[in-house]
Amino acid sequence: MSSKALDYENLNENVKKCQYAVRGELYLRASELQKEGKKIIFTNVGNPHALGQKPLTFPRQVIALCQAPFLLDDPNVGLIFPADAIARAKQFLGMTSGGLGAYSDSRGIPGVRKEVAEFIERRDGYPSDPELIFLTDGASKGVMQILNSIIRGPSDGILVPVPQYPLYSASIQLLGGSLVPYYLEETANWGLDINDLRQSVAQARYKGITVRAMVIINPGNPTGQCLSVANLKQIIQFCHQENLVLLGDEVYQQNIYQDERPFISARKVLLDMGLPLSKEVQLVSFHTVSKGYWGECGQRGGYFEMTNIPPKAVEEIYKVASISLSPNVPGQIFMGLMVNPPKPGDISYDQYVRESKGILESLRRRAHMMTDGAMYSFPQIRLPPRAIETANKLGKAADVFYCLRLLEATGISTVPGSGFGQKEGVFHLRTTILPAEEDMPAIMESFKKFNDEFMEKYEDHKGYSRM
Amino acid sequence: MSSKALDYENLNENVKKCQYAVRGELYLRASELQKEGKKIIFTNVGNPHALGQKPLTFPRQVIALCQAPFLLDDPNVGLIFPADAIARAKQFLGMTSGGLGAYSDSRGIPGVRKEVAEFIERRDGYPSDPELIFLTDGASKGVMQILNSIIRGPSDGILVPVPQYPLYSASIQLLGGSLVPYYLEETANWGLDINDLRQSVAQARYKGITVRAMVIINPGNPTGQCLSVANLKQIIQFCHQENLVLLGDEVYQQNIYQDERPFISARKVLLDMGLPLSKEVQLVSFHTVSKGYWGECGQRGGYFEMTNIPPKAVEEIYKVASISLSPNVPGQIFMGLMVNPPKPGDISYDQYVRESKGILESLRRRAHMMTDGAMYSFPQIRLPPRAIETANKLGKAADVFYCLRLLEATGISTVPGSGFGQKEGVFHLRTTILPAEEDMPAIMESFKKFNDEFMEKYEDHKGYSRM
């Protein structure tokens, strides 16, 4: 027995159980190496500003003015801030009572929620109700709030795609629920087979698990694909039949680097399907200022929108949000700016478009440089049996072993596929396309060189081994 | 049975159970009245900027520059920003990789954690380790992270003072643990009797509850008193005997409006006590930029510092923090500024001191205007039996009834004492001293008028009733 009140042995078991590979063993080792002076290229998490992406000017001007409202009375303010940024800052300050230093309503500033609702209406062609939009400290916090409302214990299951961004597995473990995996099919462009879904639910039920919700990540993370309308319709019908809340993680909706298949929101598809589904299928959709080409990760701005969630349940979600008082207010302003950016004719419009295009085109070139995927790519690595054996001897998963070697050799910090989930015996790694464009060729060259040497070292050459 | 996947009936029971009076029935009714056009004075939560307090200039200048780093190269920047704000912004940006738009380490920016450690060392006279300081989105989030690590289920108990700020009761309910109350003694200036504590623990044990931690709120919320060194020593010894983690909510450490008893941190008292206690008693201390006279509530900046928590447990707390990626970065910068403000000789020093003094002295005058308490006051209301009867008939607690009538009559939004906990049959209300100083006399006058009329209406006059 432990002698301390707060010791590893007597921590909440769910805390101990949960795994979060994006900042797991690889990240910790990379941080150590960085402290020792090694140059590390962090591609483990989408954090573009950390890799040199410059922030867009207009939103930063507006937020700077909101933070320093006394500047609005300074006769020199026009020398360093454009008039539309000044007007926008005044507009936001008018929406708050007390500016950025005051707690807002726990759901967020009503005026910003209205801007989000208008954005959704423009995007989907259906009106959206600001009262059903809650602003959050980034999308992750919103996902956790909703999962916390749903999960009552280990017999509540959540359908989660594999591979998946490990926020879902980690949150479900932390909240003491059961993750019910469904596999995306690598050979079918990471598509989703509705029959596999049915099988996953049947298997869970057999184990006594009630499946309560289904997560879709669209566009996919780490796979980067957009779901087709046909596929979304099947998913919505499936949720209707099985009485599941659909959780639509749509944080990558801006990041489409291929033209064949555009992003379409789950909400639009649902409402297009008409009655009775449009009034019956429950949907919560998530968005953020961190992803997209804005990449304002550190500001922690996000929202979720609820469709067909009964008012009494919405009230309870509001009550829980109120315990943390309010999401950070500057992050709320960023969300307002993202959904309502400068318009043609505004002083800052041209600069905003030029900067946005610059980032998006560079991301697109980098994406094509890497794979044809979206923000993240998830290449398969075919590991030779001797590499797998060596990893096993070291007590490590084979892909963890590969990624650690890659890190030590090149400084490139990736995430092993096992952190995202993959089929037995198949290995991947996840990297982002976010290093500065000019660094990409050298990084890819050093990656390729490492991979060639690794494979040569561990591949069985007929009658010859270099080990 | 419910027909919807996410309906009130099948929500997580802990979500339904938790109560958060600070934004409960009174707040919701006040929000309704405000929408209908009534002027509401929100004193339900300490939110000074919402009630007209101006932000301090220097921190806002620094954060504005950090948000708009391109201004640092603008030849006109010196016209509207002082040189020390520019230097400080450069210093903060140098601590991050990628500025405010990049996720930081999940524990916060190392450079800011170092500033916090230096502040703690200056305050307590003992060095502090930045690796044991985690920055958070306000203190509430830190409290929830630590409680989440401790609580395994309903048989884990947390000692919480009554009355208490309802963050604790709500979080414990949400996490499925058991609140073990100990009563502060109103007649002894809201002091803490160690024998009552022992009794609370004994009673909990009798019910099969293992008490794991003890919360102290020092200075008190809502009571506003500082604990004495002698009392803190008793508490520390008690935690040692009973093997409890001491959770020190010290968010009001700046807000002392009486001179007799200064604030002394639990950590200083613990380390002053020497071996073996200084190496054995586990302590987590919380602080924030929201309270104090800065009142930067909307920025959501906070920290917790861990003392005598074993490294393996710290690692697990770090892992869970990493699921949400990082606390908001602007809030971290505010924390850095609060613990390391302008120094004598700095260009902005005089203005910073003048503004700080202005706020503190006004708060002190308001506190004395209200009671001799600190930021919040918690007056007892002696309700006549007929008022209690009337409330009962309406299905409301008597103090809720009183506060609702006060709200309807005057627009003053308070929190009934039942939301903070009080002894059976004794009633209080919680209000803050934060309305603008010039409005205070009128507010107090209108409060007094309402109270006189209420009492007259419900008091039994001999042989005569006005009802």
Side-chain angles (χ1 to χ4, degrees), chain A residues 357-396:
Chain A
K357 262 198 176 166
I359 298 171
L360 272 167
E361 283 170 5
S362 168
L363 284 171
R364 182 183 281 254
R365 285 191 299 271
R366 282 178 270 172
H368 286 259
M369 240 190 263
M370 292 279 289
T371 72
D372 288 329
M375 190 161 175
Y376 298 109
S377 51
F378 197 63
Q380 194 176 130
I381 33 178
R382 288 168 214 283
L383 294 175
R386 279 209 304 122
I388 300 174
E389 270 166 45
T390 311
N392 288 345
K393 275 184 205 149
L394 295 167
K396 295 201 183 296

Side-chain angles (χ1 to χ4, degrees), chain B residues 278-356:
Chain B
S278 61
K279 286 280 182 210
E280 290 182 2
V281 174
Q282 296 190 302
L283 169 67
V284 186
S285 308
F286 302 90
H287 201 4
T288 179
V289 302
S290 304
K291 306 300 152 189
Y293 63 89
W294 283 44
E296 290 281 11
C297 303
Q299 314 281 359
R300 317 307 290 117
Y303 77 75
F304 59 84
E305 186 201 19
M306 295 171 280
T307 306
N308 297 327
I309 309 295
K312 266 188 88 177
V314 173
E315 260 174 48
E316 294 295 303
I317 294 165
Y318 182 19
K319 181 183 73 183
V320 171
S322 75
I323 302 173
S324 314
L325 295 161
S326 83
N328 89 81
V329 177
Q332 298 182 38
I333 305 291
F334 271 99
M335 184 49 88
L337 286 161
M338 188 175 94
V339 296
N340 189 13
K343 290 179 186 52
D346 292 353
I347 303 165
S348 298
Y349 179 73
D350 287 345
Q351 185 186 17
Y352 175 76
V353 169
R354 194 170 60 246
E355 291 175 351
S356 297

Side-chain angles (χ1 to χ4, degrees), chain B residues 17-80:
Chain B
K17 252 188 289 180
C18 79
Q19 298 290 332
Y20 189 66
V22 169
R23 295 211 165 174
E25 182 177 357
L26 259 291
Y27 172 77
L28 295 174
R29 179 72 188 129
S31 302
E32 269 173 32
L33 289 172
Q34 193 181 38
K35 266 196 185 163
E36 291 165 15
K38 192 174 170 75
K39 190 177 174 259
I40 302 296
I41 303 134
F42 284 100
T43 76
N44 57 306
V45 63
N47 196 9
H49 292 213
L51 297 173
Q53 183 180 308
K54 293 269 169 298
L56 295 168
T57 305
F58 182 77
R60 292 299 193 97
Q61 287 170 327
V62 174
I63 199 83
L65 288 165
C66 289
Q67 284 285 15
F70 39 82
L71 292 184
L72 296 170
D73 306 323
D74 192 303
N76 290 318
V77 68
L79 293 175
I80 58 176

Side-chain angles (χ1 to χ4, degrees), chain A residues 4-6 12 15-16 18 23 47 60 67 101 103 106 148-149 212 280 282 297-298 319 326 329, chain B residues 4-6 10 12 15-16 18 23 47 60 67 101 103 106 148-149 212 280 282 297-298 300 319 329:
Chain A
K4 291 279 186 191
L6 181 52
N12 176 349
V15 164
K16 285 195 265 187
C18 80
R23 296 211 164 173
N47 197 8
R60 292 300 193 95
Q67 285 285 14
Y103 296 125
S106 307
N148 189 27
S149 305
R212 305 273 316 276
E280 291 182 2
Q282 298 189 301
C297 304
K319 181 184 73 183
S326 84
V329 178
Chain B
K4 291 278 186 192
L6 181 53
N10 50 20
N12 176 349
V15 163
K16 285 194 266 188
C18 79
R23 295 211 165 174
N47 196 9
R60 292 299 193 97
Q67 284 285 15
Y103 296 126
S106 308
N148 189 26
S149 304
R212 305 274 314 277
E280 290 182 2
Q282 296 190 302
C297 303
R300 317 307 290 117
K319 181 183 73 183
V329 177

Side-chain angles (χ1 to χ4, degrees), chain B residues 237-252:
Chain B
Q237 259 149 356
F238 177 75
C239 288
H240 190 241
Q241 285 156 10
E242 300 287 344
N243 201 22
L244 309 179
V245 192
L246 182 58
L247 305 179
D249 178 332
E250 300 181 333
V251 300
Y252 292 96

Side-chain angles (χ1 to χ4, degrees), chain A residues 14 31 36 42 93 106 155 211 226 232 274 305 372 375 381 411 425 438:
Chain A
N14 293 332
S31 302
E36 292 166 15
F42 283 100
L93 291 174
S106 307
S155 64
V211 181
C226 284
L232 281 164
E305 186 201 19
D372 288 329
M375 190 161 175
I381 33 178
E438 60 272 27

